[in-house]
Amino acid sequence: MRVPSVGRPGPLAVVASNAVAPVGVLAFGWSTTVLLGVFVLELAAVLFWAAVKVPFAVKRPNNLIDDQRLLGALQAKRGGIDLPGPVPPVYLRNLPTLVALVALLAPIELGAAFLLFALADPTITTETTGQLLLGGVGVFAARGVETATDYFRDGGYRDHSPRSVVLAPFKYVFGVGTLLFVVGPSGVDSGAVLALIVAGKLAYDLRTIQVERDPDRRGVFYRLYGSKETEIEPEPIVEPDGEPVVRARPARSITVADALYRGVGYTLTSTVVFCYAVAAFFAVFAPRLALVPVAVALAFGALRATTRYLRYGPLEYRGYDGALVAYDTLFGEPQDRIDGEDVKRVAVETDLVDRAFDTATVEFDRGDDTPPLQFTVPDPEDVEHDDTPDSLVAVHVDDPESLADAVGAGWLYERDVDRPTAGD
């Protein structure tokens, strides 16, 4: 097993974080309680620095982008927000993963780690508290150095998606959690146990570094979950030269109404509707408490409305001779392009907002086949890195036929769209 070279401060920082434990044991006489506690604090540090990394990850997750989920609409967004100074851009599409990490994964993982730590029946004194704080600061700083050097300075953010960033704390929980589960409940405070924990933790981290840096090695986690090599590097959307022959952009009033409609609809068609049932119950027995579940429902509805607006509100649909581009005027970035030869089907739908404003939503379907279901992630060279969506959807446009004609799919529009007659 190769130890990272001196020229790589990131891996050395990870190894240094492991040195905190044995140095504490040998130099300061730390007990098993302190040792296990430092490992729990290191998990907290790994989760913290993962949350710092997520917004800057350039690649896109190699999984389904679903517009129907609460935050899924944001995963389809292209383009970043430039920040001043040497800091790389942040990407709105990474927000769903960041929220899941901070609000769900981190509390669950930390809760499980503290539970296993408690099974060791630790004796917390003033002395052990000081030792825990010292060890915690050491591992936090070491992981911070790894983040600053490997991820930001050396451009590691270009190789990761937010999902592959979250893999690091997930693996840490499994590896270190196994040590805590095996050793923690025994409460044995002996040199042999301490040596076993320290050696196991060091071997785990070195193995992780080796697998990450050797393209020919893929561990179990990488086959089941994927890695940075299996994530998708977004290809920029190229606009045709010249001015578009057709432009279509829904009015602000329409996009706002659409966002509100989707927000309210989400609260009525998802599990959030349970909040209304709770509110109705409280309205009978404790009217003031009924405001709490209503406020929760409104918060979810507002979040869904915001993500819907950010996804479709700023879009302008630009029809060229044989191509259609969805252009985000907020980010100044094309979001999707479809050429006439790629259109296999055209469908027009009208929801409540369309009927109210006399508009229509038109879908230009590429007709791509759904990829087969598989239980493990393929090797990096076998991954399909094309992140083109199945269709381009132009929402709430007042003349969908003109867009179809511009892209060269007018005949498909005539074939596929059942337009109502004047007498209907």
Side-chain angles (χ1 to χ4, degrees):
M1 181 182 296
R2 294 181 299 173
V3 178
S5 64
V6 177
R8 299 305 299 268
L12 286 177
V14 175
V15 175
S17 71
N18 284 275
V20 171
V23 169
V25 172
L26 298 175
F28 303 106
W30 286 359
S31 63
T32 306
T33 293
V34 176
L35 191 62
L36 297 180
V38 170
F39 287 163
V40 173
L41 293 177
E42 185 172 10
L43 170 61
V46 170
L47 288 167
F48 174 85
W49 291 116
V52 172
K53 294 177 181 179
V54 162
F56 304 94
V58 171
K59 288 187 175 181
R60 298 160 65 92
N62 186 19
N63 60 351
L64 183 65
I65 296 176
D66 184 4
D67 186 31
Q68 301 305 315
R69 294 180 293 178
L70 184 60
L71 295 173
L74 298 184
Q75 283 189 302
K77 297 299 290 186
R78 293 176 178 269
I81 302 173
D82 291 327
L83 298 179
V87 182
V90 298
Y91 296 90
L92 189 63
R93 62 173 176 263
N94 297 343
L95 180 60
T97 304
L98 180 62
V99 172
L101 174 62
V102 173
L104 182 64
L105 298 178
I108 291 176
E109 293 180 2
L110 283 176
F114 276 109
L115 176 62
L116 291 174
F117 175 62
L119 292 177
D121 194 18
T123 302
I124 305 299
T125 63
T126 303
E127 181 182 5
T128 57
T129 300
Q131 293 170 346
L132 284 171
L133 291 176
L134 179 62
V137 170
V139 296
F140 182 86
R143 293 288 178 171
V145 169
E146 183 269 338
T147 299
T149 55
D150 272 17
Y151 195 77
F152 287 105
R153 189 199 66 184
D154 297 338
Y157 58 88
R158 300 188 187 94
D159 301 324
H160 279 280
S161 79
R163 200 172 70 108
S164 63
V165 169
V166 174
L167 177 60
F170 179 74
K171 291 192 303 178
Y172 185 95
V173 168
F174 182 84
V176 178
T178 301
L179 287 174
L180 292 173
F181 181 78
V182 172
V183 179
S186 66
V188 178
D189 196 5
S190 67
V193 171
L194 293 176
L196 176 63
I197 297 175
V198 172
K201 174 66 167 53
L202 180 59
Y204 163 79
D205 278 332
L206 289 177
R207 172 62 177 172
T208 298
I209 293 173
Q210 182 188 38
V211 172
E212 287 180 349
R213 299 186 179 279
D214 189 343
D216 297 328
R217 293 180 181 270
R218 298 188 67 217
V220 175
F221 283 102
Y222 293 93
R223 294 190 178 278
L224 296 177
Y225 183 90
S227 64
K228 61 184 181 182
E229 290 81 13
T230 59
E231 299 299 79
I232 298 173
E233 186 170 355
E235 293 291 337
I237 303 296
V238 179
E239 278 195 277
D241 296 330
E243 288 295 317
V245 297
V246 176
R247 291 177 185 264
R249 183 179 180 185
R252 179 69 58 85
S253 57
I254 298 178
T255 56
V256 171
D258 169 72
L260 294 175
Y261 170 67
R262 298 288 177 165
V264 173
Y266 180 80
T267 66
L268 296 175
T269 57
S270 66
T271 55
V272 179
V273 73
F274 180 72
C275 293
Y276 293 126
V278 175
F281 174 81
F282 282 138
V284 177
F285 300 100
R288 291 185 178 180
L289 291 178
L291 297 176
V292 176
V294 170
V296 172
L298 292 178
F300 276 100
L303 182 59
R304 171 60 175 152
T306 301
T307 59
R308 173 72 179 187
Y309 182 82
L310 290 173
R311 175 69 179 93
Y312 292 106
L315 292 186
E316 178 182 73
Y317 305 99
R318 301 176 176 180
Y320 296 86
D321 185 14
L324 179 65
V325 175
Y327 186 86
D328 192 304
T329 58
L330 179 63
F331 289 96
E333 183 83 14
Q335 299 297 301
D336 194 8
R337 168 180 170 167
I338 191 168
D339 296 324
E341 60 267 22
D342 295 331
V343 180
K344 300 298 187 293
R345 184 180 68 90
V346 178
V348 172
E349 297 180 355
T350 55
D351 59 14
L352 183 62
V353 175
D354 284 315
R355 292 191 290 271
F357 291 93
D358 193 24
T359 59
T361 297
V362 57
E363 177 183 7
F364 298 93
D365 191 359
R366 291 182 170 87
D368 295 336
D369 295 331
T370 303
L373 179 65
Q374 55 188 46
F375 296 101
T376 61
V377 178
D379 292 332
E381 60 271 16
D382 298 327
V383 171
E384 177 56 60
H385 287 276
D386 183 12
D387 63 340
T388 305
D390 294 336
S391 60
L392 188 154
V393 180
V395 299
H396 308 314
V397 293
D398 54 9
D399 189 4
E401 189 171 4
S402 66
L403 294 179
D405 289 337
V407 77
W411 68 276
L412 285 173
Y413 185 91
E414 295 289 341
R415 186 196 72 179
D416 297 337
V417 177
D418 184 16
R419 291 176 294 172
T421 63
D424 289 341

